[in-house]
Amino acid sequence: MLSIFEQLTERVEHHLNVIYQDVDLSISIPELSQQLLATMRIGDADSIVEPKQHHNSWDEKDVLLITYGDSVEKPGEKPLHTLHTFLKNYCADSVNSVHILPFFPYSSDDGFSVIDYSSVNESLGDWDDIEAITQDYRLMSDVVINHCSSRSAWFTNFIKGEGPGHDFFFTASPDIDTSMVTRPRTSDLLRLTETENGEQYVWCTFSHDQVDFDFTNPNVLDAFVSIIRQYLDTGIRLFRLDAVAFLWKTIGTSCINLEQTHEAVRLLRTLIEHAVDDAVIITETNIPNRQNLTYFGNANEAHGIYNFSLPPLLVNSLVTGSCKHLKSWLGSMPPAQNGTFFFNFIASHDGIGLRPAEGLLDDTELTTLVNTMQNFGGRISWRKSENGEQKAYEINIALYDALQGTTKGEDKWGLERFVCAHAVMFGLEGIPGVYIHSLLGTGNDYEKVRNTSQNRSINRHKWDYDSLVEVLNDPQSQHAKAHGRITELLNIRKNQPAFHPNCTQFTLQLGEQLFGFWRQSLKRNQSIFCVHNMSDQIQTLRLSDLNLIGTDTWLDLISQQTICMEDLEYQLQPYQSLWISNTL
């Protein structure tokens, strides 16, 4: 019988054989396997964690706050220290995890063009500040795995033709046909670079400051295993694999979602979960829904995947007053197997991606959504389609402003619509991620867009801590109202077993204006019927449509009102949400 280490070695070698099946390596697969295990510091039975299959290391109490390291600042104080203070003062009871967007030295893209993966950006703080946060919260770090900054030491060595990183980057001839390559940007794919070895054309999926790695070189893989090991040592337990869908390139293909990419994610999961038992991988793949789902594998790839179709579908429902597409999508979604989860979010540092809505909303509906968001101050980012045409790739807008009205224009229901959106997300199967500017009800930052000339800056406001405290102490401010209402929902959510990320979910058929789904915890015998009025008109809910068990006592968890079984109908105000639960 094979030992645990021998079994692990066989698994790693299998992953590597799939990844490098068409690559002529200068190192044998067994040697490479041992190198990676040594880098992850897994060398004997004492250093191996045997992961439990289909085990959920999360529950209904898990909520993640998404923020930049300097979203909250205070003069004379390190932003990471200020952020930690904000978390303790305003999130301690409602949030137990935090995603700090790239906190490394960078040259562009607000952190996603990393200069040095091993250092903390000095303008934010240092590793001691990161470790201090990990003592109070589960911390998610980005692993910007597809590309790095053109100002990194690795790329400098590429230009020199010697030193670490000199062979880390993917190059191609400008004469090749790249028409099949899928990209989220309109800039030229290849960047002409003068090197000591002559002219080289470097592959740049995103921008010419973001140069793509060449994972056919196993030293690139080993470098990222070393980076992940360092992050584990600092207490980081959640790893967001940024833009991972583009990791492997094969000329003549779309260069997205290739077999080797999926196998690389499986390999990283194998190494990480055998090093630390509660470490989690989340893949960031802003692509059409069916493609996104493939990153679960067979519960052997990503632990979590971003639920990218949720933001555009939910916003579309709330501004049109019809949930037909949202309902159809939810009803078609497979449940996440135990050991995996959906990472639900409705706002982020980027914007509302539209590719995940392809095939779910038609062109006319997408155009209406884009026009409505522009009416509320939003900006649009574009990409080149397969036939060379420009298509809307992403809506850049603060969620608070995105929901200030409908396709008919702005109205008085903005706050209720905004809260309804979060009530939907908090009830869905999966773990919710709340963007800091949604928690704070921050609006569009037009000044930052003017200063940076970047559309995404519209939803990347930086708060002065003292000014933030002042508005949060003002009960009439939109910020205090948003923070209070969202925090209240989160505090209710975390005490409901049926809101466990992997509990049963069933989509209800309640018409176009009422969006409903049912959650159930068999272990704790709890059922919750989540019903949301997606329109600006009063809607009638027939209790008979919910099939409530008459012998149970039912309570709306949000209003704390008992549901009287003798009432045949219930009137929902515009954008009102009900979480109807049997009492435990």
Side-chain angles (χ1 to χ4, degrees):
M1 183 176 179
L2 296 178
S3 68
I4 296 175
F5 182 73
E6 290 170 331
Q7 293 176 43
L8 174 59
T9 299
E10 280 195 352
R11 285 185 61 183
V12 172
E13 290 181 4
H14 169 76
H15 294 312
L16 294 172
N17 276 313
V18 174
I19 295 170
Y20 295 108
Q21 56 187 300
D22 299 320
V23 180
D24 185 16
L25 297 176
S26 60
I27 183 175
S28 71
I29 291 297
E31 289 175 320
L32 179 56
S33 170
Q34 293 306 307
Q35 178 179 323
L36 296 177
L37 289 168
T39 300
M40 189 57 83
R41 296 204 307 274
I42 302 174
D44 52 47
D46 292 336
S47 60
I48 296 178
V49 173
E50 191 168 8
K52 299 176 183 178
Q53 296 300 310
H54 301 289
H55 172 70
N56 301 322
S57 59
W58 45 80
D59 61 25
E60 60 274 11
K61 295 179 176 58
D62 284 297
V63 176
L64 190 144
L65 183 78
I66 306 165
T67 180
Y68 279 101
D70 58 357
S71 290
V72 183
E73 297 180 306
K74 192 171 186 177
E77 189 170 275
K78 293 185 292 186
L80 286 173
H81 180 80
T82 307
L83 175 63
H84 197 181
T85 300
F86 167 78
L87 290 168
K88 289 187 288 187
N89 289 343
Y90 293 99
C91 305
D93 295 331
S94 56
V95 168
N96 66 355
S97 305
V98 59
H99 172 201
I100 304 179
L101 290 151
F103 47 80
F104 318 105
Y106 71 96
S107 55
S108 63
D109 200 15
D110 277 2
F112 286 93
S113 185
V114 179
I115 293 175
D116 180 6
Y117 291 85
S118 64
S119 301
V120 174
N121 190 331
E122 290 183 356
S123 68
L124 298 178
D126 53 33
W127 282 114
D128 287 342
D129 298 304
I130 293 294
E131 291 187 37
I133 292 174
T134 67
Q135 298 301 308
D136 294 325
Y137 300 89
R138 292 192 74 191
L139 179 59
M140 179 156 80
S141 170
D142 286 277
V143 180
V144 186
I145 199 168
N146 177 71
H147 52 263
C148 72
S149 169
S150 64
R151 288 173 48 193
S152 66
W154 285 342
F155 196 69
T156 298
N157 289 341
F158 168 80
I159 294 173
K160 293 192 300 184
E162 62 182 14
H166 78 277
D167 54 354
F168 274 20
F169 299 94
F170 195 88
T171 60
S173 167
D175 299 324
I176 64 169
D177 181 6
T178 59
S179 60
M180 292 179 61
V181 176
T182 298
R183 295 188 63 218
R185 299 290 186 272
T186 56
S187 57
D188 291 337
L189 174 62
L190 300 178
R191 163 190 161 151
L192 174 61
T193 304
E194 295 288 344
T195 76
E196 291 295 323
N197 297 318
E199 291 185 346
Q200 298 278 344
Y201 286 85
V202 182
W203 195 281
C204 299
T205 299
F206 291 88
S207 78
H208 284 189
D209 185 45
Q210 293 165 298
V211 286
D212 283 34
F213 291 112
D214 181 3
F215 274 85
T216 64
N217 178 355
N219 289 327
V220 177
L221 177 61
D222 186 59
F224 273 94
V225 172
S226 177
I227 289 164
I228 290 170
R229 179 68 256 187
Q230 178 190 354
Y231 296 174
L232 286 169
D233 290 342
T234 62
I236 294 167
R237 290 296 178 263
L238 308 176
F239 298 91
R240 178 185 184 268
L241 300 187
D242 176 68
V244 69
F246 301 96
L247 180 145
W248 194 272
K249 289 87 176 167
T250 299
I251 303 301
T253 73
S254 64
C255 297
I256 188 172
N257 305 324
L258 299 187
E259 177 187 8
Q260 293 91 335
T261 294
H262 284 282
E263 199 66 40
V265 177
R266 295 186 191 111
L267 169 63
L268 292 175
R269 172 168 175 163
T270 295
L271 292 171
I272 289 172
E273 68 182 6
H274 280 84
V276 177
D277 60 356
D278 62 345
V280 168
I281 286 177
I282 301 179
T283 49
E284 188 268 336
T285 48
N286 192 357
I287 52 180
N289 191 55
R290 288 190 178 183
Q291 297 175 29
N292 189 33
L293 289 169
T294 64
Y295 282 85
F296 275 142
N298 185 23
N300 63 346
E301 203 163 323
H303 297 88
I305 64 171
Y306 274 71
N307 216 345
F308 272 109
S309 294
L310 178 60
L313 291 179
L314 182 53
V315 170
N316 180 73
S317 293
L318 287 164
V319 299
T320 63
S322 169
C323 65
K324 63 179 181 179
H325 295 304
L326 181 65
K327 180 172 59 177
S328 177
W329 163 77
L330 189 67
S332 69
M333 287 289 280
Q337 295 187 54
N338 281 324
T340 66
F341 63 89
F342 291 106
F343 181 63
N344 296 322
F345 73 107
I346 50 177
S348 75
H349 62 289
D350 286 342
I352 302 170
L354 295 179
R355 286 214 73 203
E358 293 176 6
L360 302 172
L361 300 177
D362 63 31
D363 287 345
T364 300
E365 290 165 327
L366 285 170
T367 299
T368 299
L369 178 60
V370 166
N371 291 340
T372 303
M373 294 300 99
Q374 287 179 309
N375 290 339
F376 297 145
R379 305 290 195 268
I380 307 300
S381 296
W382 303 88
R383 69 177 181 91
K384 284 184 180 178
S385 67
E386 291 74 9
N387 58 11
E389 295 179 348
Q390 281 201 340
K391 295 191 69 173
Y393 170 73
E394 182 180 81
I395 301 168
N396 305 115
I397 191 169
L399 185 65
Y400 191 88
D401 284 344
L403 297 176
Q404 284 308 296
T406 68
T407 55
K408 297 175 289 188
E410 190 170 335
D411 59 27
K412 64 180 181 180
W413 300 108
L415 177 62
E416 299 306 321
R417 195 178 287 111
F418 178 76
V419 173
C420 178
H422 287 87
V424 170
M425 175 175 69
F426 295 160
L428 287 172
E429 173 192 354
I431 294 176
V434 183
Y435 188 41
I436 188 170
H437 292 306
S438 293
L439 179 69
L440 299 175
T442 311
N444 294 333
D445 191 334
Y446 301 113
E447 182 179 357
K448 191 168 186 181
V449 174
R450 287 192 293 270
N451 291 339
T452 65
S453 299
Q454 299 294 322
N455 286 344
R456 286 178 167 178
S457 296
I458 200 168
N459 197 23
R460 298 179 179 181
H461 181 72
K462 292 185 180 181
W463 276 100
D464 171 76
Y465 184 76
D466 291 335
S467 298
L468 177 59
V469 170
E470 183 178 350
V471 296
L472 290 179
N473 286 336
D474 176 5
Q476 298 306 312
S477 75
Q478 71 183 48
H479 312 291
K481 290 176 181 178
H483 178 265
R485 296 283 294 277
I486 292 174
T487 298
E488 180 183 6
L489 289 175
L490 288 174
N491 287 337
I492 296 170
R493 170 198 157 82
K494 70 180 183 181
N495 293 314
Q496 313 309 320
F499 282 154
H500 186 286
N502 295 93
C503 275
T504 298
Q505 177 172 284
F506 184 82
T507 306
L508 303 175
Q509 302 301 319
L510 303 174
E512 282 197 24
Q513 284 70 47
L514 293 179
F515 178 57
F517 50 92
W518 169 62
R519 302 295 309 280
Q520 182 182 45
S521 170
L522 293 176
K523 289 184 178 179
R524 296 289 300 278
N525 193 32
Q526 184 186 31
S527 288
I528 301 178
F529 292 87
C530 302
V531 183
H532 311 272
N533 183 355
M534 309 298 280
S535 77
D536 57 4
Q537 302 295 315
I538 294 174
Q539 299 295 328
T540 300
L541 170 67
R542 294 180 302 182
L543 293 182
S544 59
D545 289 341
L546 300 185
N547 195 27
L548 303 180
I549 298 174
T551 55
D552 285 357
T553 300
W554 296 89
L555 176 74
D556 172 28
L557 298 170
I558 298 175
S559 67
Q560 289 296 298
Q561 290 185 351
T562 300
I563 302 298
C564 180
M565 298 297 292
E566 296 179 358
D567 294 335
L568 300 180
E569 297 180 341
Y570 196 95
Q571 303 296 311
L572 274 77
Q573 297 300 309
Y575 307 105
Q576 183 180 355
S577 295
L578 303 177
W579 287 347
I580 301 174
S581 171
N582 57 336
T583 55
L584 298 179

